[in-house]
């Protein structure tokens, strides 16, 4: 009998008499990924709430009699009257190196069929951007591998460079080229054993894209062996608007982990036009007042608080952002394009006319700008590409006038010939980025007049021939240019000898 009493006393001792605070409510209405909930009196803005079946949501509208929550998951499983519970937590996503090479959804859950992700660290999706005093000026280059961009519109680590243009002008291709180029630089740098080398890890956020496009992107990165340095966050067109709204913020949190831990990361938001549309949809369902083009009043704040999280931090790493915006018929004065242009540190504008003329990448040099400028370039790029933008601008101006008259003086004809060759030289096949040392060598060869005797229509073939010649036969020279990052008289002499040798073989082939 005493044993039974002892067991009962032990069980009573284990029971907790502590009061548990639990704030619960019930779904009043649910539609289009938004649930109106009553009874959540203590809920906080942006707090994570728990729906039945493990579905989670975020409290966005805090009104007197009800709370508007966006549902991150399958809405079809929810119905009126279901119980909703507050969690007291902000929405967080898993972060860390374990995510490299994986495809995850807007909440950081794997969707690539490769099993669970072993990550023990979580970062909040919404986070206040670093302050002014903790930032460093942008002066380290981030090479895209695209000659027209690296030589004239340089991007630095910690910069936010907008890629803007109409549908089908090659915006995503520029982003993928940049990611592939980072992977190639990482391989060379890590294999060299250089202790000062800092790899760049990439995060690609696909917002509102077709699933077939995302699959094609993954296949392109796998084919280039770049997926091992990349994390893909996918919220496709089939996902509900809440997932599309939260995906870029989840990607930013993943990128911030690298930045906070003294590493460099690149994040691509493809694209923020669809992100704004998803946010507009949520806002209209939540009955928030609409403004210009039916977007809510805080759509500027939506993108500014996202893009301001990209920075180069003092004593830590950097996060570089490449947001993508799709324009309609080249109209950059629309609401979302002007918003994002004013937030970013420059833009790369892609023109439909140039694309249709076969100039690819279709970068408009006149409308594109990098507000970081040459501070994000290494010395060798400044040496060979300093005058290119001016020469191209002069060419465009003269070409417009030249079509009205037939008689041209020798100087004008020389300027037009040089400009036409520069345009041809900047043509580059997609998903084939060039290393900075190859770019510098080709531009030096152009600068010294080696392409002047080549017919304009043969410039692309000549450029490809020179590239192959340098990679296969002058590897030591390219390595020297990469390590020195500047052209000395000795290197220029070696380049001249290499260019002479190539010209003889190219002429012989021709």
């Amino acid at each position: 009998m005493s044993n039974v009493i002892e067991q009962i006393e032990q069980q009573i001792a284990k029971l907790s008499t502590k009061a548990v605070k639990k704030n619960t409510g019930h779904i009043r209405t649910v539609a289009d990924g938004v649930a109106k909930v009553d009874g959540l009196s203590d809920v906080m803005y942006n707090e994570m709430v728990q729906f039945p079946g493990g579905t989670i949501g975020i409290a966005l509208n805090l009104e007197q009699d009800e709370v508007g929550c966006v549902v991150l998951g399958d809405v079809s499983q929810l119905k009126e009257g279901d119980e909703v519970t507050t969690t007291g937590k902000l929405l967080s996503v898993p972060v860390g190196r374990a995510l490299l090479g994986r495809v995850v959804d807007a909440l950081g859950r794997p969707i690539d069929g490769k099993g669970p992700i072993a990550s023990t660290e979580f970062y909040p999706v919404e986070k206040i951007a670093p302050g002014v005093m903790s930032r460093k000026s942008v002066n380290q280059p981030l090479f895209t591998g695209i000659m027209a961009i690296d030589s004239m519109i340089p991007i630095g680590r910690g910069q936010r460079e907008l890629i803007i243009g109409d549908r089908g002008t090659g915006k995503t291709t520029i982003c993928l080229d940049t990611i592939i180029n980072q992977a190639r630089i990482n391989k060379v740098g890590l294999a060299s054993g250089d202790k000062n080398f800092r790899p760049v890890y990439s995060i690609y956020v696909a917002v509102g894209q077709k699933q077939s496009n995302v699959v094609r992107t993954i296949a392109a990165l796998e084919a280039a062996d770049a997926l091992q340095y990349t994390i893909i966050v996918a919220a496709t067109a089939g996902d509900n608007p809440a997932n599309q709204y939260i995906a870029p913020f989840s990607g930013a949190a993943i990128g911030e982990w690298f930045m906070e831990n003294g590493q460099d990361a690149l994040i691509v938001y493809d694209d923020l036009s669809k992100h704004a549309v998803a946010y507009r949809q949520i806002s209209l369902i939540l009955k928030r007042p609409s403004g210009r083009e039916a977007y809510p009043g805080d759509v500027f704040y939506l993108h500014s608080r996202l893009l301001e999280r990209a920075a180069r931090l003092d004593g830590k790493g950097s996060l570089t952002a490449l947001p993508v915006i799709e324009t309609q018929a080249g109209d950059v004065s629309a609401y979302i394009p002007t918003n994002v242009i004013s937030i970013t540190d420059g833009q790369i504008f892609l023109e439909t006319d140039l694309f249709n003329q076969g100039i690819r990448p279709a970068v408009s040099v006149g409308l594109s700008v990098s507000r970081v400028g040459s501070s994000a370039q290494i010395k060798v790029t400044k040496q060979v590409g300093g005058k290119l933008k001016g020469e191209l601008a002069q060419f465009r101006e003269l070409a417009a006038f030249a079509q009205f008259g037939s008689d041209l003086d020798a100087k004008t004809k020389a300027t037009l010939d040089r400009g036409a060759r520069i345009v041809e030289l900047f043509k580059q096949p997609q998903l084939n980025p060039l290393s900075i040392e190859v770019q510098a060598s080709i531009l030096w060869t152009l600068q010294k007049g080696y392409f002047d005797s080549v017919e304009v229509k043969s410039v692309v073939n000549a450029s490809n021939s020179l590239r192959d010649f340098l990679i296969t036969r002058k590897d030591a020279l390219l390595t020297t240019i990469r390590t020195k990052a500047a052209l000395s008289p000795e290197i220029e002499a070696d380049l001249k000898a290499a260019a002479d040798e190539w010209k003889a073989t190219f002429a012989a082939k021709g």
Side-chain angles (χ1 to χ4, degrees), residues 107-124:
L107 299 177
R109 300 173 298 202
I111 53 172
D112 52 6
K114 295 179 182 177
I117 295 170
S119 177
T120 55
E121 207 169 342
F122 286 78
Y123 266 32

Side-chain angles (χ1 to χ4, degrees), residues 214-446:
V214 178
V215 169
R216 200 156 47 237
T217 296
I218 295 165
L221 293 175
E222 278 182 332
D225 200 21
L227 197 60
Q228 59 178 314
Y229 301 105
T230 310
I231 302 161
I232 295 175
V233 181
T236 57
D239 285 12
N240 67 36
N243 284 31
Q244 294 179 39
Y245 152 66
I246 216 74
F249 293 95
S250 299
I254 292 167
E256 277 173 334
W257 181 88
F258 291 101
M259 179 172 69
E260 295 286 347
N261 286 277
Q263 298 172 69
D264 294 323
L266 162 73
I267 185 161
V268 172
Y269 302 112
D270 194 6
D271 65 58
L272 290 188
S273 302
K274 294 186 179 76
H275 181 235
V277 167
Y279 187 61
R280 175 171 65 182
Q281 193 173 334
I282 291 168
S283 299
L284 290 172
I285 295 165
L286 287 169
K287 293 190 167 52
R288 289 180 173 177
S290 57
R292 182 176 161 189
E293 293 181 29
Y295 287 105
D298 64 340
V299 74
F300 180 91
Y301 174 57
L302 171 80
H303 286 152
S304 61
R305 77 174 188 262
L306 171 68
L307 293 170
E308 284 291 337
R309 289 165 74 173
R312 183 170 171 230
L313 296 185
D314 197 6
K316 295 181 182 177
S318 70
L319 178 61
T320 310
L322 293 182
V324 177
I325 287 286
E326 185 180 299
T327 54
Q328 305 293 326
D331 181 18
V332 293
S333 64
Y335 189 33
I336 301 302
T338 50
N339 276 357
V340 183
I341 285 170
S342 65
I343 295 164
T344 50
D345 309 314
Q347 69 274 349
I348 295 165
F349 186 74
L350 303 178
E351 275 192 286
T352 309
D353 289 346
L354 293 177
F355 188 87
N356 293 338
Q357 288 167 29
I359 300 168
R360 298 172 190 175
V363 177
S364 168
V365 178
L367 292 172
S368 302
V369 65
S370 171
R371 297 195 184 106
V372 170
S374 59
S375 59
Q377 281 181 316
I378 56 174
K379 190 176 178 183
V380 65
T381 316
K382 292 179 194 173
Q383 285 174 304
V384 297
K387 297 176 183 176
L388 281 173
K389 199 164 186 181
E391 287 180 344
L392 261 183
Q394 203 176 7
F395 163 70
R396 299 262 187 237
E397 192 179 341
L398 287 173
F401 285 108
Q403 62 186 337
F404 298 115
S406 54
D407 295 331
L408 300 171
D409 62 275
K411 189 181 177 185
T412 304
K413 200 167 184 311
T415 306
L416 289 170
D417 286 347
R418 168 57 72 96
R421 281 168 175 78
I422 295 171
V423 169
E424 288 294 309
L425 198 71
F426 282 152
K427 288 182 182 177
Q428 202 171 320
Q430 62 178 15
L431 306 178
N432 190 16
L434 297 176
S435 64
I436 198 66
E437 58 270 23
V438 170
Q439 289 184 37
S441 303
I442 292 173
L443 290 174
W444 183 90
T445 312
L446 169 82

Side-chain angles (χ1 to χ4, degrees), residues 27-36 71 75 78-80:
I27 296 176
R28 186 183 286 181
T29 60
V30 59
D32 298 313
V34 172
K36 301 286 182 70
V71 183
V75 189
L78 306 179
K79 61 185 185 300
E80 289 179 27

Side-chain angles (χ1 to χ4, degrees), residues 90-128:
L90 289 172
L91 183 65
S92 299
V93 289
V95 294
R97 295 178 67 90
L99 274 77
L100 289 169
R102 303 300 300 270
V103 184
V104 298
D105 66 4
L107 299 177
R109 300 173 298 202
I111 53 172
D112 52 6
K114 295 179 182 177
I117 295 170
S119 177
T120 55
E121 207 169 342
F122 286 78
Y123 266 32
V125 165
E126 288 274 7
K127 196 176 177 186
I128 296 171

